Every structure is written in C-alpha cells, then in structure tokens.
Amino acid sequence: MEQNMMDTIARISGVNLRRCMRCGKCTASCPAFDEMEYHPHQFVSMVENGRIDELLASQGIYTCLSCFACVERCPRNVEPAKLIEAVRLAVIRKQGENHLHAEQIPAMLDDELPQQAIVSAFRKYKR
Amino acid sequence: MKFQYFPGCTLKTKGVRLDACARTAALALGFTLEELPEWQCCGAVYPMARDEIATRLSSVRALMAAREVGEPLVTLCSACHHVIKRVNGDMKHDADIRAKVNNYLKLDPPYAGETEVLHYLEVLRDKIGWENVKAAVKNPLTGVKIGAYYGCLLLRPSREMCFDDPENPSILEDFIRAIGAEPVYYGLRNECCGGYTTIENRQYAHKQAQRIADNAKTAGAECLITACPLCLYNLTQNTDGGLPVRYFTELLAQALGVEEA
C-alpha cells in the first residue's frame, strides 16, 4: 500500500526523489516553512522513506503557497513544491476529502476579493 | 501592431482598471489588444500534476485561437500569464501531455506550443522598447518613489517563464524609469504575498503581505505597483498601515495622459 502510494506520488509529481542531496535550500527559501509541521526538505525524505500517512494528515499541504521559490532554487531540480502538490492531490482526489466546500465561500467574500482568489483556492483545495 | 489578448476572469470584474488602462495605453503606444472572441478562465493556478489534462484545456484553447490568427497571445494578470505560458511549455516539451491534449481536443493540425505568449510588460520591453515608451510620456511621474512588486508568478520558475532574472529582476524598475518615476529597491519584491491562502487563513496571508509592505516602506517606497489582482488585494486588504498599491497599467495610462476620468 505504501509502496503503491509512493509510486503514485512520484508519478504525479514527476519528482526524482533520489536526486535530493539534503542541502535544505528549499526550506531556507520557503516563506511558509514555519507554517508547516514538515518542511519542504522533509517532504522529500519522508516520501522516499514511505512516511506517507503522516504527510497525508499534515496541514502543511494546505499552507504551501505554490510560490515556486523551492522550485527555482533547488540545485538538483528535485523541486519539492511538485511533491507537496502531489501529496495534497492524493488526499483531495479521494471522495469526500475536499478541503474547501462551495457552501463555505459566501462567508469568506468581501467587496474587494478578486475572483482569482476563489478560483485558485478551489483548484488547490477541491476536486 | 496587433496582438491577441486574454484578459481572464478578474480583469472583467474586480480588476477592470488593470484591463481598461492597459487597452487605452496600448492605443497611445501604437498597438492593439484584440480580445479572444471566446476565452475560458485559465484556472488561476498552474496544474503541477503531470497526470492532469482537463485543467490544461482552457489554456490550450486560447493558445489555439491565437495560432489561428497567427499573432502572439498577450496576457496581463500574473496568474493567467503563469498558467498559459507554462501550459504552452508543456505542449511544446512534454510529449505525453501533448499527445493526451491533442487526442482529447481532436486538434487538427495538432498543437505543439507554436503560439508566442507575451506578458504586457514584455510587449513594452521587447516590442515597443523603453525608449519609445519614454518618448510617448506626456505627464512624467517625476519624483514619485515607486516600489516594484513582482511577486512569484511572473518570475518563477525562470526556466519556464523566461521573463526576467528571477532573483534580481529589472523589468518593472525599467518601466518605472520609463514613466519618469524613481524605482525603490527592496529585498522582498519577489516574495509571495500570501496568494490564495487568504481564503481560509487570513492571518497567515496577512503575515506574508505585511512583511513585504513593511520592507518596501522602510526602503522608502511611496507606493507599490503590481500586475496581479490577488497581490493587490493582499497588499492592501491584508496589511495595516501599508502602502497604496496600483496596477502598473494605471500609472502607465496616467503618464501617457490617456487615463480615463
């Protein structure tokens, strides 16, 4: 099961986990690192070591900003954001696991909020 | 000079100033933005998952429509630009995605990333030229200290966006000089504003945006400019005592003397 999940995440993300040399530049670059219980560099080793369940249950998969700082700065093209995205998708693609529901939206709106924010959040948090 | 143009969802609603000023400024600078007759929302975030095809289709449809006319496709919103440019790259370089999209849409001839995708700022820099922008300025913003806010989506990943130096960009500062104002450099000009997380965790987005606004203010900026409606939102609505934030096209139209009343 875990091997299966690891393969799925590797396939969806296109990330080659074995390229990571543990330099930590991704976490050092990450504007969200202290909002995540597992930092970007930990995602890489945890997926590699089969600690998938902990990642699937983590809230950090929803605080990744997708700002691509780790993608830009990874010297080995491992690009942890793709991995975080794949883990999040492994959760929200399951039936009943949406992180955001349409019914919640009206309460979140204000006069200035651009449509772009709602569209982005739906793409990130909901299938 | 004429370009095909993809405005995107927000430029028709909350971000109308970004769009309207860009169009009038374009006419003053001698180019036309012809809006695609039918366009669909780009989805606002690039689908990083390599097995997602459906989320790439609206971009491909826009790219196809521009190819039919044989003109580059111009974008304004940072998010639209990011998504469409990267999906175009996928169609060019990823054989698997290309095959699946072409099979699904039954494209004939197949689409393989032929359309050139340009951000409005790239049109100014590469097609018009800063010197010509400068020459067209009627009301230079002399002495105004402006901080360029790049954010993430225009710059990164630079391998795909090919927009500017991702760590030390200059296109917005060159723009600021061209309209007669003074660029103010600050460290967090390419840091994330908090993006869509404002939807579920406003406090978190506030923390991100406040750091940026404080940094720009300390450096001496009087206002910030951006190309992104969500950045503008976070930097104005999720900051305390922040700076005024304008779309770069608003200042362009003002400098060219074509700003609407």
Side-chain angles (χ1 to χ4, degrees):
Chain A
M1 155 68 191
E2 241 157 40
Q3 187 59 46
N4 192 5
M5 199 53 132
M6 280 161 71
D7 293 344
T8 303
I9 286 168
R11 179 181 54 82
I12 297 176
S13 65
V15 165
N16 180 354
L17 298 162
R18 301 186 64 184
R19 291 184 58 86
C20 175
M21 61 181 187
R22 314 285 193 256
C23 72
K25 204 170 178 183
C26 48
T27 295
S29 291
C30 180
F33 84 98
D34 58 355
E35 306 280 341
M36 307 170 93
E37 57 273 61
Y38 305 113
H39 306 319
H41 73 283
Q42 290 174 296
F43 265 80
V44 182
S45 65
M46 286 172 77
V47 173
E48 198 175 6
N49 295 319
R51 293 172 60 189
I52 309 285
D53 288 347
E54 293 161 75
L55 293 178
L56 294 175
S58 70
Q59 285 306 297
I61 55 178
Y62 306 108
T63 47
C64 167
L65 297 158
S66 296
C67 75
F68 305 105
C70 61
V71 172
E72 182 67 45
R73 292 167 193 160
C74 177
R76 300 278 293 165
N77 295 334
V78 178
E79 307 178 343
K82 293 181 179 172
L83 214 51
I84 298 170
E85 174 105 338
V87 173
R88 184 176 51 234
L89 290 173
V91 176
I92 64 172
R93 281 180 184 177
K94 280 190 264 175
Q95 203 163 13
E97 293 295 329
N98 281 335
H99 184 67
L100 182 70
H101 301 273
E103 301 72 41
Q104 294 170 264
I105 296 291
M108 295 168 168
L109 298 179
D110 62 59
D111 285 348
E112 303 300 322
L113 190 76
Q115 282 66 20
Q116 178 194 353
I118 305 163
V119 176
S120 309
F122 266 131
R123 276 281 165 91
K124 287 287 179 186
Y125 298 152
K126 187 178 182 299
R127 278 300 106 177
Chain B
M1 225 184 306
K2 188 161 82 64
F3 301 98
Q4 295 302 295
Y5 171 51
F6 182 96
C9 62
T10 306
L11 274 64
K12 291 289 179 185
T13 47
K14 302 289 179 192
V16 283
R17 294 283 293 160
L18 177 56
D19 170 81
C21 293
R23 291 178 196 243
T24 50
L27 293 178
L29 290 168
F31 67 99
T32 312
L33 298 175
E34 187 174 84
E35 185 173 331
L36 292 176
E38 285 182 14
W39 53 265
Q40 303 168 329
C41 171
C42 71
V45 289
Y46 170 73
M48 276 187 274
R50 298 195 59 245
D51 64 347
E52 283 194 17
I53 298 304
T55 43
R56 289 175 161 89
L57 297 179
S58 65
S59 297
V60 175
R61 290 189 181 108
L63 291 160
M64 280 287 293
R67 186 181 71 174
E68 267 166 42
V69 189
E71 289 172 8
L73 181 61
V74 172
T75 55
L76 254 182
C77 164
S78 301
C80 298
H81 184 67
H82 182 90
V83 174
I84 294 173
K85 176 100 183 182
R86 291 185 76 181
V87 170
N88 201 39
D90 290 338
M91 294 302 286
K92 213 185 279 186
H93 303 298
D94 191 318
D96 185 49
I97 290 175
R98 180 168 62 236
K100 284 177 179 154
V101 169
N102 276 295
N103 285 343
Y104 184 83
L105 293 176
K106 297 190 172 58
L107 300 177
D108 185 30
Y111 184 74
E114 292 88 355
T115 298
E116 184 185 9
V117 183
L118 293 171
H119 189 265
Y120 192 95
L121 282 164
E122 292 176 309
V123 173
L124 296 183
R125 179 187 64 191
D126 304 331
K127 307 284 178 183
I128 306 296
W130 297 128
E131 282 312 305
N132 293 321
V133 174
K134 205 172 182 174
V137 165
K138 293 203 176 78
N139 310 315
L141 281 76
T142 313
V144 184
K145 294 186 167 129
I146 303 174
Y149 180 65
Y150 288 89
C152 328
L153 298 177
L154 289 176
L155 296 170
R156 294 188 290 266
S158 58
R159 208 166 353 123
E160 293 173 57
M161 298 310 294
C162 306
F163 181 77
D164 203 344
D165 181 330
E167 307 296 356
N168 190 19
S170 57
I171 188 167
L172 275 172
E173 281 79 7
D174 290 339
F175 167 78
I176 292 166
R177 282 188 203 96
I179 58 169
E182 186 187 323
V184 174
Y185 289 84
Y186 61 103
L188 297 182
R189 67 203 164 115
N190 62 348
E191 191 86 338
C192 179
C193 68
Y196 52 82
T197 60
T198 184
I199 283 274
E200 74 155 4
N201 190 347
R202 204 168 187 127
Q203 219 179 347
Y204 172 39
H206 192 287
K207 196 170 118 186
Q208 303 294 334
Q210 190 70 47
R211 279 176 67 219
I212 294 162
D214 289 347
N215 181 231
K217 214 172 186 177
T218 308
E222 293 163 1
C223 76
L224 294 175
I225 55 167
T226 179
C228 180
L230 187 49
C231 295
L232 185 134
Y233 176 83
N234 279 324
L235 290 169
T236 51
Q237 307 301 310
N238 284 332
T239 51
D240 298 313
L243 293 164
V245 187
R246 310 285 303 279
Y247 291 121
F248 77 96
T249 56
E250 292 183 274
L251 299 192
L252 176 61
Q254 191 186 327
L256 295 172
V258 293
E259 195 184 28
E260 297 152 21

